[in-house]
Amino acid sequence: MEKRNLGSSGLQVPVIGMGTWRTFDVRGASALKNARHIVETALQQGSNFFDSSPMYGAAEQVLGEALGEQRSEALIATKVWTSNRNEGQAQIKRALSYFGNRVDVYQIHNLVNWLEHLALLEEYREKGYVGAIGATHYSSSAFGELRRVMKTGRISVIQIPYNPLQREVEQDILPLAADLNIGVIVMRPFYEGGLMRRSPSAEELKPLAEFGVMTWSQALLKWGLSDTRCHVAIPATSHVSHMIENAAAGNAPWFGPEERAYVARLARSH
Ligand SMILES: NC(=O)c1ccc[n+]([C@@H]2O[C@H](COP(=O)([O-])OP(=O)(O)OC[C@H]3O[C@@H](n4cnc5c(N)ncnc54)[C@H](OP(=O)(O)O)[C@@H]3O)[C@@H](O)[C@H]2O)c1
């Protein structure tokens, strides 16, 4: 699995990580066993970067439990998500208890109350509980504010949506991230799963075989990561087989402009 420097965060990340929205908000012995199996498989494949949030119900706790003794092999990105400072502090304390007193990338979820949380996270970073500080937003309507946060010089990571149907970040966000050496985590590489509902035929994917692409999910992951301003993509899955399939997209050769245009055409036409 290829690794990239996550901007100026000081972290080296695998290009394919994993999200936990919906897929890890689970309860019950068999669901927890499945989560453990997915995490174990991810680690075996070199996909050791995991993203979560207190917004995702039980996901942080389930991820922490699934990692168990293997916490030190993983990089954890989670988030603070509340308008209230005290609740923010409570969220951070809970997350630290799930992840062995360390969160590698602490992000401000959807920029909620970002100024206050930024100061709080800087205190935790100072004390060694937090590696890098980041900010996320899922909507292009908030990209103006995201740019303002990036320009403060106080964050080293952003998390943004990027897939062939959502390319707004190409306008200002990715160029600014590259200028400021800010790490980029790609959320929603499959358009929240929407791009996986109807996949192109094996025949249509054939021209991508020389890039190691055998499936549509791999084509979409390679599409995003072939823009080297992006450092790690975090597809979510509840299936071990999908984890293996996704992780297999994490190596060169990367697409050039022609292959990217081809995948974008396939995405629009299915
Ligand atoms: N504001 C924010 O900060 C924010 C917002 C949105 C998302 N995120 C983060 O980004 C992560 C990813 O985004 P997302 O979960 O919305 O969407 P996504 O990763 O684009 O799509 C996830 C969906 O794709 C399916 N899938 C995954 N691998 C597959 C494969 N190989 N073949 C077929 N289907 C596959 C999954 O279903 P199966 O379970 O069947 O595999 C799941 O339904 C989230 O989990 C979260 O961590 C952050």
Side-chain angles (χ1 to χ4, degrees), residues 48 50 64-65 84 87 100 125 137 153 156 201 220 225 265:
N48 66 335
F50 301 91
E65 282 174 13
N84 179 285
E87 173 53 20
R125 188 181 54 191
H137 212 291
S156 57
S201 65
L220 291 168
L225 292 162
R265 275 200 305 281

Side-chain angles (χ1 to χ4, degrees), residues 18-21 23 51-52 56 79 109-110 136-138 159 186-193 196 217 234-239 242 245-246:
M18 197 188 81
T20 58
W21 183 43
T23 50
D51 178 75
S52 197
Y56 308 159
K79 314 188 188 87
H109 198 144
N110 291 346
T136 80
H137 212 291
Y138 70 94
Q159 183 181 147
V186 173
M187 67 164 86
R188 294 186 171 166
F190 305 145
Y191 195 54
E192 260 183 83
M196 299 310 298
S217 81
I234 50 166
T237 183
S238 47
H239 292 96
H242 287 170
E245 181 184 334
N246 296 343

Side-chain angles (χ1 to χ4, degrees), residues 90-123:
Q91 288 180 353
I92 295 168
K93 282 188 178 151
R94 275 198 293 276
L96 289 171
S97 78
Y98 302 143
F99 300 123
N101 274 329
R102 175 89 179 169
V103 167
D104 302 286
V105 183
Y106 229 122
Q107 307 154 100
I108 299 158
H109 198 144
N110 291 346
L111 302 175
V112 177
N113 194 14
W114 65 266
L115 201 53
E116 214 163 29
H117 293 325
L118 193 48
L120 188 58
L121 289 172
E122 283 168 341
E123 285 174 27

